[in-house]
Amino acid sequence: MAIINQKGGVGKSTTAINLSAALGEMGKQVLLVDLDPQGNSSSGLGIEKSRVEHCVYDVLLNDVPVEDVIIPDVCEGLDVSPATINLAGAEVELVAEMARENRLRDSVGSLRGKYDYVFIDCPPSLGLLTVNALVAADKLLIPIQCEFYALEGVTKLLDSMKRVKTRLNPSLDIFGVLLTMYDGRTTLSKQVVEEVRNYFGKIVFDTLIPRTVKLSEAPSFGQPITQYDPSGKGAQSYVDLAKEVINRG
């Protein structure tokens, strides 16, 4: 499942980290693939990128088996394929490669059946790394921020998805749309929720991810919210989301 939205700052990495951790704590085996050169999912789980020998870049461009870059048991039930700054060059280097759109799918394919969930944290762009994620994934999880211009850019993402679905990955579909950074005190947040639910219908998750200080702080301590502030609103919302994800199958 690719966690995707080409807009930055909508809660992709926050969702990748905390949904993965919540599912792991519920007894699921989860792999999180960090495909963003910024490596926020990696550092947000306490991985020191300077000490990472091989990362997703080596899987895509140096034919290193994906098993060799997985860091096991970063949290309960959660393994991570980390990203380092090397990945920033992958966008350009992939252009000259054969079957460049299929690199991630070909490498991650060997893991099918080993995990209950494989999440791909995508970069905030629609470049070749994101196309690799669209080709590798079965489903998309789209976080949308409860702010003005929330749906701006989503149509571009849906166009890209349709093109990939037609030409490269016929099984690709949207698994769910997640509303993030919700502030129940503002009219704007409520309006965005209504607008997104009208646009996408039943695929929007019931769970709303609140805007909280603790959710913002947790990555700097290298912990998912379920460890950093287990009794808080943020942790509860991601536990609720994990239950919804399991129920959707």
Side-chain angles (χ1 to χ4, degrees), residues 31-138:
L31 173 65
L32 174 53
V33 179
D34 192 350
L35 202 62
D36 185 348
Q38 295 173 50
N40 291 340
S41 282
S42 304
S43 55
L45 284 164
I47 294 166
E48 284 188 51
K49 289 180 277 191
S50 58
R51 300 174 72 173
V52 170
E53 199 172 326
H54 292 301
C55 81
V56 175
Y57 171 87
D58 300 293
V59 174
L60 294 174
L61 284 150
N62 295 335
D63 297 321
V64 172
V66 69
E67 290 84 356
D68 291 359
V69 305
I70 290 174
I71 301 174
D73 302 318
V74 173
C75 296
E76 184 184 347
L78 174 58
D79 299 350
V80 177
S81 284
T84 65
I85 196 63
N86 291 351
L87 202 52
E91 238 9 296
V92 177
E93 291 171 55
L94 277 167
V95 172
E97 294 291 323
M98 292 283 287
R100 58 196 182 190
E101 298 94 349
N102 298 313
R103 286 301 175 103
L104 188 63
R105 178 170 68 183
D106 293 346
S107 56
V108 177
S110 61
L111 300 173
R112 279 195 183 275
K114 292 185 184 173
Y115 291 95
D116 297 304
Y117 296 95
V118 177
F119 292 108
I120 306 167
D121 184 19
C122 297
S125 71
L126 288 175
L128 267 174
L129 286 173
T130 300
V131 171
N132 262 271
L134 288 168
V135 174
D138 303 313

Side-chain angles (χ1 to χ4, degrees), residues 161-189:
M161 180 194 129
K162 281 174 194 154
R163 282 204 297 278
V164 169
K165 188 177 169 80
T166 305
R167 296 174 186 165
L168 296 163
N169 183 5
S171 64
L172 187 65
D173 269 313
I174 298 175
F175 180 78
V177 173
L178 175 66
L179 288 153
T180 63
M181 303 181 196
Y182 176 75
D183 184 347
R185 297 168 302 179
T186 68
T187 308
L188 178 61
S189 269

